[in-house]
DNA sequence: GCCAACGTTGGC
DNA sequence: GCCAACGTTGGC
């Protein structure tokens, strides 16, 4: 089982939104970055995911989701009316993928980016490094454990 | 709202 | 293949 972190803007889709979905699950579509896509493709059912709120007050990890379906073609790329439409992605050879995630838990408090930046054991993590914009990134077991220890 | 960092596009 | 221009992300 592997660990990941996924970013989302809570104004668009928050952890509470996931919790309120039927079955508490939702397809994670709209990823349009190759590195993030490759991470999606590596996900296995049962993988644990830190749910991160960006462009929020404050920004940080708010809880946990899990992967319930491995990567499959991102249908929003085929839909001209979707904000995620990508004419370069063809049904015969989909460029983008999505996974399904399910709500697991909400932390008793937000672990803020500010706090994470102060932890020496997390200094190598892409999340806390300047200019990092990757929306789906791997978390090592050690990093996962460190973050959970902050609660 | 601003702007730095980054990824992508497209002219050459 | 280089790189300037552009668009987007995301912290502040």
């Amino acid at each position: 089982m592997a660990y990941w972190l996924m970013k989302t803007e809570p104004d668009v889709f928050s952890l509470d939104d996931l919790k309120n979905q039927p079955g508490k699950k939702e397809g994670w579509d709209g990823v349009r970055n190759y590195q993030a896509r490759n991470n999606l493709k590596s996900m296995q059912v049962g993988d644990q995911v830190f749910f991160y709120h960006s462009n929020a007050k404050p920004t940080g990890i708010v809880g946990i989701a899990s992967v319930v379906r491995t990567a499959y073609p991102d249908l929003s790329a085929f839909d001209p009316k979707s904000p995620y439409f990508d004419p370069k992605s063809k049904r015969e050879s989909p460029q983008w993928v999505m996974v399904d995630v399910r709500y697991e838990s909400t932390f008793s408090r937000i672990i803020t980016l500010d706090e994470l930046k102060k932890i020496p054991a997390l200094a190598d993590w892409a999340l806390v490094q300047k200019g990092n914009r990757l929306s789906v990134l791997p978390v090592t077991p050690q990093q996962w454990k460190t973050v959970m220890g902050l609660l």
Side-chain angles (χ1 to χ4, degrees):
Chain A
M1 185 188 70
Y3 299 104
W4 307 94
L5 178 141
M6 291 168 125
K7 292 181 187 174
T8 175
E9 298 189 32
D11 289 346
V12 178
F13 190 78
S14 70
L15 184 58
D16 278 343
D17 291 334
L18 179 62
K19 187 180 181 179
N20 293 329
Q21 290 298 312
K24 297 187 178 183
K25 63 178 186 176
E26 180 65 295
W28 201 271
D29 62 2
V31 171
R32 295 290 178 269
N33 168 284
Y34 287 102
Q35 205 178 338
R37 181 201 66 180
N38 292 342
N39 287 334
L40 288 179
K41 285 184 169 180
S42 299
M43 290 184 180
Q44 298 297 320
V45 170
D47 283 1
Q48 300 292 109
V49 179
F50 279 143
F51 203 100
Y52 179 92
H53 282 175
S54 63
N55 276 321
K57 290 178 183 175
T59 64
I61 301 169
V62 294
I64 293 173
S66 65
V67 177
V68 293
R69 182 178 175 187
T70 54
Y72 59 102
D74 183 344
L75 303 176
S76 68
F78 307 135
D79 179 5
K81 291 191 292 294
S82 167
Y84 304 127
F85 176 61
D86 181 358
K88 295 192 297 302
S89 184
K90 307 294 182 193
R91 286 179 185 276
E92 314 83 74
S93 56
Q95 296 284 306
W96 305 111
V97 300
M98 57 195 284
V99 299
D100 288 354
V101 298
R102 187 178 62 204
Y103 171 85
E104 291 294 337
S105 62
T106 302
F107 290 162
S108 52
R109 65 184 185 86
I110 299 170
I111 302 177
T112 64
L113 179 62
D114 192 47
E115 182 177 357
L116 294 169
K117 281 181 172 172
K118 289 175 182 158
I119 312 292
L122 299 177
D124 289 339
W125 197 10
L127 180 74
V128 301
Q129 284 163 12
K130 192 175 181 183
N132 166 61
R133 305 191 320 179
L134 193 58
S135 62
V136 180
L137 50 126
V139 180
T140 67
Q142 204 54 47
Q143 287 162 343
W144 184 276
K145 201 175 161 186
T146 300
V147 172
M148 295 303 283
L150 298 172
L151 284 172

